[in-house]
Amino acid sequence: MKTRVRELRKQSKLTQQQLADLVHVSNRTIISIEKEQYSPSLMLAYRIAEVFGVTVEELCCLKENRELEDKDQEAN
């Protein structure tokens, strides 16, 4: 799932480790989220969104991801 984690983290001048510490996960989790290899749980997405002062919808690009998923479903 596409997220804005990397973009927001860099804007905030946080390292992956600093963000991980703030939301109580390993830096590997943050790396995986940024590489779109792992989708955060709702609670983790909420914690990250709080750090950056955005909504979960904004953080997780929910509208864009839904549209991509809908296109994939239509193609199959």
Side-chain angles (χ1 to χ4, degrees):
M1 172 171 58
K2 177 181 163 82
T3 70
R4 295 182 59 213
V5 173
R6 177 176 287 154
E7 169 194 344
L8 294 168
R9 178 181 59 76
K10 287 186 174 193
Q11 283 177 4
S12 298
K13 295 184 169 62
L14 290 173
T15 66
Q16 290 168 328
Q17 186 62 59
Q18 288 169 325
L19 177 57
D21 291 343
L22 288 170
V23 297
H24 314 293
V25 297
S26 73
N27 67 327
R28 304 300 269 155
T29 299
I30 300 301
I31 291 166
S32 294
I33 292 169
E34 289 184 356
K35 289 183 173 182
E36 298 179 20
Q37 296 172 337
Y38 174 74
S39 295
S41 68
L42 180 57
M43 186 54 65
L44 179 53
Y46 180 74
R47 288 175 191 263
I48 296 171
E50 275 192 316
V51 167
F52 298 126
V54 298
T55 66
V56 172
E57 290 89 348
E58 292 169 322
L59 178 77
C60 294
C61 308
L62 290 182
K63 183 176 181 182
E64 183 179 339
N65 282 314
R66 186 192 71 206
E67 289 169 357
L68 290 171
E69 190 175 284
D70 288 350
K71 283 182 186 177
D72 285 346
Q73 291 297 320
E74 290 172 7
N76 293 328

Coordinates of all heavy atoms in Angstrom, one line a residue:
M1 N 0.8 -1.2 0.0 CA 0.0 0.0 0.0 C 0.9 1.2 0.0 O 1.9 1.3 0.7 CB -0.9 0.0 1.2 CG -1.7 1.3 1.4 SD -3.0 1.3 2.6 CE -2.1 0.9 4.1
K2 N 0.6 2.2 -0.8 CA 1.3 3.4 -0.9 C 0.9 4.3 0.3 O -0.2 4.4 0.7 CB 0.8 4.2 -2.2 CG 1.5 5.5 -2.3 CD 0.9 6.2 -3.6 CE 1.1 7.6 -3.7 NZ 2.2 8.3 -4.0
T3 N 2.0 4.9 0.9 CA 1.8 5.8 2.0 C 2.6 7.0 1.8 O 3.5 7.1 0.9 CB 2.1 5.2 3.4 OG1 3.6 5.0 3.4 CG2 1.4 3.9 3.6
R4 N 2.4 8.0 2.6 CA 3.2 9.2 2.6 C 4.3 9.3 3.7 O 4.8 10.3 4.1 CB 2.3 10.5 2.7 CG 1.4 10.6 1.5 CD 0.5 11.9 1.7 NE 1.4 13.1 1.7 CZ 1.0 14.1 2.5 NH1 -0.1 14.2 3.1 NH2 1.8 15.2 2.5
V5 N 4.6 8.1 4.3 CA 5.4 8.0 5.5 C 6.8 8.6 5.2 O 7.3 9.5 5.9 CB 5.6 6.6 6.0 CG1 6.6 6.5 7.1 CG2 4.2 6.1 6.6
R6 N 7.4 8.2 4.1 CA 8.8 8.7 3.8 C 8.8 10.2 3.6 O 9.6 10.9 4.1 CB 9.3 8.0 2.5 CG 10.7 8.5 2.1 CD 11.3 7.8 1.0 NE 11.7 6.5 1.5 CZ 11.9 5.4 0.7 NH1 11.6 5.4 -0.6 NH2 12.3 4.3 1.2
E7 N 7.8 10.6 2.8 CA 7.7 12.1 2.5 C 7.6 12.9 3.7 O 8.3 13.9 4.0 CB 6.5 12.3 1.5 CG 6.1 13.7 1.3 CD 4.7 13.9 0.7 OE1 4.2 12.9 0.2 OE2 4.1 14.9 0.8
L8 N 6.6 12.5 4.6 CA 6.4 13.2 5.8 C 7.5 13.1 6.8 O 7.9 14.1 7.5 CB 5.1 12.7 6.5 CG 3.8 13.0 5.7 CD1 2.6 12.3 6.3 CD2 3.5 14.5 5.6
R9 N 8.2 12.0 6.9 CA 9.3 11.8 7.8 C 10.5 12.7 7.3 O 11.1 13.4 8.2 CB 9.8 10.3 7.7 CG 11.0 10.0 8.6 CD 11.4 8.6 8.5 NE 11.8 8.2 7.2 CZ 12.9 8.5 6.6 NH1 13.9 9.2 7.2 NH2 13.2 8.0 5.4
K10 N 10.7 12.8 6.0 CA 11.8 13.6 5.6 C 11.5 15.1 5.8 O 12.4 15.9 6.1 CB 12.1 13.3 4.1 CG 12.8 12.0 3.9 CD 13.3 11.8 2.5 CE 14.1 10.5 2.4 NZ 14.8 10.3 1.2
Q11 N 10.2 15.5 5.6 CA 9.8 16.9 5.8 C 10.1 17.2 7.3 O 10.4 18.4 7.6 CB 8.4 17.1 5.5 CG 8.1 17.2 4.0 CD 6.6 17.3 3.7 OE1 5.8 17.4 4.6 NE2 6.2 17.4 2.5
S12 N 9.8 16.3 8.2 CA 10.0 16.5 9.6 C 11.4 16.3 10.1 O 11.7 16.4 11.3 CB 9.1 15.5 10.4 OG 7.7 15.8 10.1
K13 N 12.3 16.0 9.1 CA 13.7 15.7 9.4 C 14.0 14.7 10.5 O 14.8 14.8 11.4 CB 14.4 17.1 9.8 CG 14.5 18.1 8.7 CD 15.2 19.3 9.1 CE 15.5 20.2 7.9 NZ 14.4 20.8 7.2
L14 N 13.2 13.6 10.4 CA 13.3 12.5 11.3 C 14.0 11.3 10.6 O 13.8 11.1 9.4 CB 11.9 12.0 11.8 CG 11.1 12.8 12.7 CD1 9.7 12.2 12.9 CD2 11.8 13.0 14.0
T15 N 14.8 10.6 11.3 CA 15.4 9.4 10.7 C 14.3 8.3 10.9 O 13.4 8.4 11.6 CB 16.7 8.9 11.5 OG1 16.3 8.6 12.8 CG2 17.7 10.0 11.5
Q16 N 14.6 7.2 10.2 CA 13.7 6.0 10.3 C 13.7 5.5 11.7 O 12.6 5.2 12.3 CB 14.1 4.9 9.3 CG 13.8 5.3 7.9 CD 14.5 4.4 6.9 OE1 15.5 3.9 7.1 NE2 13.8 4.3 5.7
Q17 N 14.8 5.5 12.4 CA 14.9 5.1 13.7 C 14.2 6.0 14.7 O 13.5 5.5 15.6 CB 16.4 4.9 14.2 CG 16.5 4.3 15.6 CD 16.0 2.9 15.6 OE1 16.5 2.0 14.9 NE2 15.0 2.6 16.5
Q18 N 14.3 7.3 14.5 CA 13.6 8.2 15.4 C 12.1 8.0 15.3 O 11.4 8.0 16.3 CB 14.0 9.7 15.0 CG 15.4 10.0 15.4 CD 15.8 11.4 14.8 OE1 15.5 11.7 13.7 NE2 16.6 12.1 15.6
L19 N 11.6 7.9 14.0 CA 10.1 7.7 13.8 C 9.7 6.3 14.5 O 8.7 6.3 15.2 CB 9.8 7.7 12.4 CG 8.3 7.4 12.0 CD1 7.4 8.3 12.8 CD2 8.1 7.4 10.5
A20 N 10.5 5.3 14.3 CA 10.2 4.0 14.9 C 10.1 4.1 16.4 O 9.2 3.6 17.0 CB 11.3 3.0 14.5
D21 N 11.1 4.8 17.0 CA 11.0 5.0 18.4 C 9.8 5.7 18.9 O 9.2 5.4 19.9 CB 12.3 5.8 18.9 CG 13.6 5.0 18.8 OD1 13.5 3.7 18.6 OD2 14.6 5.6 18.8
L22 N 9.3 6.7 18.1 CA 8.2 7.5 18.5 C 6.9 6.7 18.5 O 5.9 6.9 19.2 CB 8.0 8.7 17.6 CG 9.0 9.9 17.8 CD1 8.9 10.9 16.6 CD2 8.8 10.5 19.1
V23 N 6.8 5.7 17.6 CA 5.6 4.9 17.4 C 5.8 3.5 17.9 O 4.9 2.6 17.7 CB 5.1 4.9 15.9 CG1 4.7 6.3 15.5 CG2 6.1 4.3 15.0
H24 N 6.9 3.2 18.6 CA 7.1 1.9 19.3 C 7.2 0.7 18.4 O 6.5 -0.3 18.6 CB 6.0 1.7 20.4 CG 5.8 2.9 21.2 ND1 6.8 3.4 22.1 CD2 4.7 3.7 21.3 CE1 6.3 4.5 22.7 NE2 5.1 4.7 22.3
V25 N 7.9 0.8 17.3 CA 8.2 -0.3 16.4 C 9.7 -0.3 16.0 O 10.4 0.6 16.4 CB 7.3 -0.2 15.0 CG1 5.9 -0.3 15.3 CG2 7.7 1.0 14.2
S26 N 10.1 -1.3 15.3 CA 11.5 -1.3 14.9 C 11.7 -0.5 13.6 O 10.7 -0.2 12.9 CB 11.9 -2.8 14.6 OG 11.3 -3.2 13.3
N27 N 12.9 -0.1 13.4 CA 13.2 0.7 12.2 C 13.0 -0.1 10.9 O 12.6 0.4 9.9 CB 14.6 1.3 12.2 CG 15.7 0.2 12.1 OD1 15.6 -0.9 12.6 ND2 16.8 0.6 11.5
R28 N 13.1 -1.5 11.0 CA 12.8 -2.3 9.9 C 11.3 -2.2 9.5 O 11.0 -2.3 8.3 CB 13.1 -3.8 10.2 CG 14.5 -4.1 10.7 CD 15.5 -3.7 9.7 NE 15.9 -4.8 8.8 CZ 16.3 -4.6 7.6 NH1 16.5 -3.4 7.1 NH2 16.6 -5.6 6.8
T29 N 10.4 -2.0 10.4 CA 9.0 -1.8 10.1 C 8.8 -0.6 9.3 O 8.1 -0.6 8.3 CB 8.1 -1.8 11.4 OG1 8.3 -3.0 12.1 CG2 6.7 -1.5 11.1
I30 N 9.4 0.5 9.7 CA 9.3 1.8 9.0 C 9.9 1.6 7.6 O 9.3 2.1 6.6 CB 10.1 2.9 9.8 CG1 9.5 3.1 11.2 CG2 10.0 4.2 9.0 CD1 8.0 3.5 11.2
I31 N 11.0 1.0 7.5 CA 11.7 0.7 6.2 C 10.7 -0.1 5.3 O 10.5 0.3 4.1 CB 13.0 0.0 6.3 CG1 14.0 0.9 7.0 CG2 13.5 -0.6 5.0 CD1 15.3 0.1 7.5
S32 N 10.1 -1.1 5.8 CA 9.2 -1.9 5.0 C 7.9 -1.1 4.6 O 7.4 -1.3 3.5 CB 8.7 -3.1 5.8 OG 9.8 -4.0 6.0
I33 N 7.4 -0.3 5.5 CA 6.3 0.6 5.1 C 6.7 1.5 4.0 O 5.9 1.7 3.0 CB 5.7 1.4 6.3 CG1 5.1 0.4 7.3 CG2 4.7 2.4 5.9 CD1 4.8 1.0 8.7
E34 N 7.8 2.1 4.1 CA 8.3 3.1 3.1 C 8.5 2.4 1.7 O 8.3 3.1 0.7 CB 9.5 3.8 3.6 CG 9.2 4.8 4.7 CD 10.5 5.6 5.1 OE1 11.6 5.4 4.6 OE2 10.3 6.5 6.0
K35 N 8.9 1.2 1.7 CA 9.2 0.4 0.5 C 7.9 -0.2 0.0 O 7.9 -1.0 -1.0 CB 10.2 -0.6 0.7 CG 11.6 -0.1 0.9 CD 12.6 -1.2 1.1 CE 14.0 -0.7 1.1 NZ 15.0 -1.8 1.2
E36 N 6.8 0.0 0.6 CA 5.5 -0.6 0.3 C 5.5 -2.1 0.3 O 4.8 -2.8 -0.4 CB 5.0 -0.1 -1.1 CG 4.8 1.4 -1.2 CD 4.4 2.0 -2.5 OE1 3.9 1.2 -3.4 OE2 4.6 3.2 -2.8
Q37 N 6.3 -2.6 1.2 CA 6.4 -4.1 1.4 C 5.5 -4.5 2.6 O 5.3 -5.7 2.8 CB 7.8 -4.5 1.7 CG 8.7 -4.3 0.5 CD 10.2 -4.5 0.8 OE1 10.6 -4.4 2.0 NE2 11.0 -4.8 -0.2
Y38 N 5.0 -3.6 3.4 CA 4.2 -3.9 4.6 C 3.2 -2.8 4.7 O 3.5 -1.6 4.6 CB 5.2 -3.9 5.8 CG 4.5 -4.1 7.1 CD1 3.9 -5.3 7.5 CD2 4.4 -3.0 8.0 CE1 3.3 -5.4 8.7 CE2 3.7 -3.2 9.2 CZ 3.2 -4.4 9.5 OH 2.6 -4.5 10.8
S39 N 2.0 -3.2 5.0 CA 0.9 -2.2 5.3 C 0.7 -2.1 6.8 O 0.5 -3.1 7.4 CB -0.4 -2.7 4.6 OG -0.3 -2.7 3.2
P40 N 0.8 -0.9 7.3 CA 0.7 -0.7 8.8 C -0.7 -1.1 9.3 O -1.7 -1.0 8.5 CB 1.0 0.7 9.0 CG 0.6 1.4 7.7 CD 0.9 0.4 6.6
S41 N -0.8 -1.6 10.5 CA -2.1 -1.9 11.1 C -2.8 -0.5 11.3 O -2.1 0.6 11.2 CB -1.9 -2.5 12.5 OG -1.2 -1.6 13.4
L42 N -4.0 -0.5 11.6 CA -4.8 0.7 11.8 C -4.2 1.5 12.9 O -4.0 2.7 12.9 CB -6.2 0.4 12.0 CG -7.1 1.6 12.3 CD1 -7.1 2.6 11.1 CD2 -8.6 1.1 12.5
M43 N -3.8 0.8 14.0 CA -3.3 1.5 15.2 C -1.9 2.1 14.9 O -1.6 3.2 15.3 CB -3.2 0.5 16.4 CG -2.7 1.2 17.7 SD -3.8 2.6 18.2 CE -5.3 1.8 18.5
L44 N -1.1 1.4 14.2 CA 0.2 1.9 13.8 C 0.1 3.1 12.9 O 0.7 4.2 13.0 CB 1.1 0.9 13.1 CG 2.5 1.3 12.7 CD1 3.3 2.0 13.8 CD2 3.3 0.2 12.1
A45 N -0.8 3.0 11.9 CA -1.1 4.1 11.0 C -1.6 5.4 11.8 O -1.2 6.5 11.5 CB -2.1 3.7 9.9
Y46 N -2.4 5.1 12.8 CA -2.9 6.2 13.6 C -1.8 6.9 14.4 O -1.7 8.1 14.5 CB -4.0 5.7 14.6 CG -4.6 6.7 15.5 CD1 -5.5 7.7 15.0 CD2 -4.2 6.8 16.8 CE1 -6.0 8.6 15.8 CE2 -4.7 7.7 17.7 CZ -5.6 8.7 17.2 OH -6.1 9.6 18.0
R47 N -0.9 6.0 15.0 CA 0.3 6.6 15.7 C 1.2 7.4 14.8 O 1.6 8.5 15.2 CB 1.1 5.5 16.3 CG 0.4 4.8 17.5 CD 1.3 3.6 17.9 NE 0.6 2.7 18.9 CZ 0.7 2.8 20.2 NH1 1.5 3.7 20.7 NH2 0.0 2.0 21.0
I48 N 1.4 6.9 13.6 CA 2.3 7.7 12.7 C 1.6 9.0 12.3 O 2.2 10.0 12.2 CB 2.6 6.8 11.5 CG1 3.5 5.6 11.9 CG2 3.4 7.6 10.4 CD1 3.7 4.5 10.8
A49 N 0.3 8.9 11.9 CA -0.4 10.1 11.5 C -0.4 11.1 12.6 O -0.2 12.3 12.4 CB -1.9 9.7 11.2
E50 N -0.5 10.7 13.9 CA -0.5 11.6 15.0 C 0.9 12.4 15.1 O 0.9 13.6 15.3 CB -0.7 10.9 16.3 CG -2.1 10.7 16.7 CD -2.3 10.3 18.2 OE1 -1.5 9.4 18.6 OE2 -3.1 10.9 18.8
V51 N 2.0 11.6 14.8 CA 3.3 12.2 14.9 C 3.4 13.4 13.8 O 4.0 14.4 14.1 CB 4.4 11.2 14.6 CG1 5.7 11.8 14.3 CG2 4.5 10.2 15.7
F52 N 2.8 13.2 12.7 CA 2.9 14.2 11.6 C 1.7 15.1 11.6 O 1.7 16.0 10.7 CB 3.0 13.5 10.3 CG 4.3 12.6 10.2 CD1 4.2 11.3 9.8 CD2 5.5 13.1 10.4 CE1 5.3 10.5 9.7 CE2 6.7 12.4 10.3 CZ 6.6 11.0 10.0
G53 N 0.7 15.0 12.4 CA -0.4 15.9 12.4 C -1.3 15.8 11.2 O -1.8 16.8 10.7
V54 N -1.4 14.6 10.7 CA -2.3 14.3 9.5 C -3.3 13.3 9.9 O -3.2 12.6 10.9 CB -1.5 13.9 8.2 CG1 -0.5 15.0 7.8 CG2 -0.7 12.6 8.5
T55 N -4.3 13.1 9.0 CA -5.2 12.0 9.2 C -4.7 10.7 8.7 O -3.8 10.7 7.9 CB -6.6 12.3 8.5 OG1 -6.4 12.3 7.1 CG2 -7.2 13.6 8.9
V56 N -5.3 9.6 9.1 CA -4.9 8.3 8.6 C -5.2 8.2 7.1 O -4.4 7.7 6.3 CB -5.6 7.2 9.4 CG1 -5.4 5.8 8.7 CG2 -5.2 7.1 10.8
E57 N -6.3 8.8 6.7 CA -6.6 8.9 5.3 C -5.5 9.5 4.5 O -5.2 9.1 3.4 CB -8.0 9.6 5.0 CG -9.2 8.9 5.5 CD -9.5 9.1 7.0 OE1 -8.7 9.7 7.7 OE2 -10.6 8.7 7.4
E58 N -5.0 10.7 5.0 CA -4.0 11.4 4.3 C -2.6 10.6 4.3 O -2.0 10.5 3.3 CB -3.7 12.7 4.9 CG -4.9 13.7 4.7 CD -4.7 15.0 5.6 OE1 -4.3 14.9 6.8 OE2 -5.1 16.0 5.1
L59 N -2.3 10.0 5.4 CA -1.1 9.3 5.6 C -1.0 8.1 4.6 O 0.0 7.8 4.0 CB -0.9 8.8 7.0 CG 0.3 7.9 7.3 CD1 1.6 8.8 7.4 CD2 0.2 7.1 8.5
C60 N -2.1 7.4 4.5 CA -2.2 6.1 3.8 C -2.7 6.3 2.4 O -3.0 5.3 1.7 CB -3.0 5.1 4.5 SG -2.3 4.6 6.1
C61 N -2.9 7.5 1.9 CA -3.4 7.8 0.6 C -4.6 6.9 0.2 O -4.7 6.2 -0.8 CB -2.3 7.5 -0.5 SG -0.7 8.4 -0.1
L62 N -5.6 6.8 1.2 CA -6.7 5.9 1.0 C -7.5 6.0 -0.2 O -7.8 5.0 -0.9 CB -7.5 5.9 2.3 CG -6.9 5.4 3.6 CD1 -7.9 5.4 4.7 CD2 -6.4 4.0 3.4
K63 N -7.8 7.3 -0.6 CA -8.6 7.4 -1.8 C -7.8 6.9 -3.0 O -8.4 6.2 -3.9 CB -8.9 8.9 -2.0 CG -9.8 9.2 -3.2 CD -10.2 10.6 -3.3 CE -11.1 10.8 -4.5 NZ -11.5 12.2 -4.7
E64 N -6.5 7.3 -3.2 CA -5.7 6.8 -4.3 C -5.6 5.3 -4.3 O -5.7 4.7 -5.3 CB -4.3 7.5 -4.2 CG -3.4 7.1 -5.3 CD -2.1 7.9 -5.2 OE1 -2.0 8.9 -4.5 OE2 -1.1 7.3 -5.8
N65 N -5.3 4.7 -3.1 CA -5.2 3.3 -3.0 C -6.5 2.6 -3.4 O -6.5 1.5 -4.0 CB -4.7 2.9 -1.6 CG -3.2 3.1 -1.5 OD1 -2.4 2.7 -2.3 ND2 -2.8 3.7 -0.4
R66 N -7.6 3.1 -3.0 CA -8.9 2.5 -3.3 C -9.1 2.5 -4.8 O -9.6 1.6 -5.4 CB -10.0 3.2 -2.6 CG -11.4 2.5 -2.8 CD -12.6 3.3 -2.4 NE -12.7 4.4 -3.3 CZ -13.3 5.6 -3.0 NH1 -13.8 5.8 -1.9 NH2 -13.4 6.5 -3.9
E67 N -8.8 3.7 -5.4 CA -9.0 3.8 -6.9 C -8.1 2.8 -7.6 O -8.5 2.1 -8.6 CB -8.6 5.2 -7.3 CG -9.7 6.2 -6.9 CD -9.3 7.7 -7.1 OE1 -8.2 7.9 -7.6 OE2 -10.1 8.5 -6.8
L68 N -6.8 2.6 -7.2 CA -6.0 1.6 -7.8 C -6.5 0.2 -7.6 O -6.5 -0.6 -8.5 CB -4.5 1.7 -7.2 CG -3.7 2.9 -7.5 CD1 -2.5 3.0 -6.7 CD2 -3.4 2.9 -9.0
E69 N -7.0 -0.1 -6.4 CA -7.6 -1.4 -6.2 C -8.8 -1.7 -7.0 O -9.0 -2.8 -7.6 CB -7.9 -1.5 -4.7 CG -8.3 -2.9 -4.2 CD -8.5 -3.0 -2.8 OE1 -7.5 -3.0 -2.0 OE2 -9.7 -3.1 -2.3
D70 N -9.6 -0.6 -7.2 CA -10.8 -0.8 -8.0 C -10.4 -1.0 -9.5 O -11.1 -1.9 -10.1 CB -11.7 0.5 -7.9 CG -12.4 0.7 -6.6 OD1 -12.4 -0.3 -5.8 OD2 -12.9 1.8 -6.4
K71 N -9.4 -0.4 -10.0 CA -9.0 -0.6 -11.3 C -8.5 -2.0 -11.5 O -8.7 -2.7 -12.5 CB -7.9 0.4 -11.7 CG -8.4 1.8 -12.0 CD -7.2 2.7 -12.4 CE -7.7 4.1 -12.6 NZ -6.6 5.0 -12.9
D72 N -7.7 -2.5 -10.5 CA -7.2 -3.9 -10.5 C -8.4 -4.9 -10.6 O -8.3 -5.9 -11.3 CB -6.3 -4.2 -9.3 CG -5.0 -3.6 -9.5 OD1 -4.6 -3.1 -10.6 OD2 -4.3 -3.5 -8.4
Q73 N -9.4 -4.6 -9.8 CA -10.6 -5.5 -9.8 C -11.3 -5.5 -11.1 O -11.8 -6.5 -11.6 CB -11.5 -5.1 -8.6 CG -11.0 -5.3 -7.3 CD -10.7 -6.8 -7.0 OE1 -11.5 -7.7 -7.4 NE2 -9.7 -7.1 -6.3
E74 N -11.4 -4.3 -11.7 CA -12.1 -4.2 -13.0 C -11.3 -5.0 -14.1 O -11.9 -5.5 -15.0 CB -12.3 -2.8 -13.4 CG -13.3 -2.0 -12.5 CD -13.3 -0.5 -12.8 OE1 -12.6 -0.1 -13.8 OE2 -14.0 0.2 -12.1
A75 N -10.0 -5.0 -14.0 CA -9.2 -5.6 -15.0 C -9.3 -7.1 -14.9 O -9.0 -7.8 -15.9 CB -7.7 -5.2 -14.9
N76 N -9.6 -7.7 -13.8 CA -9.7 -9.1 -13.6 C -11.1 -9.6 -13.9 O -12.0 -9.6 -14.2 CB -9.3 -9.5 -12.2 CG -7.8 -9.2 -12.0 OD1 -7.0 -9.3 -12.9 ND2 -7.4 -8.9 -10.8

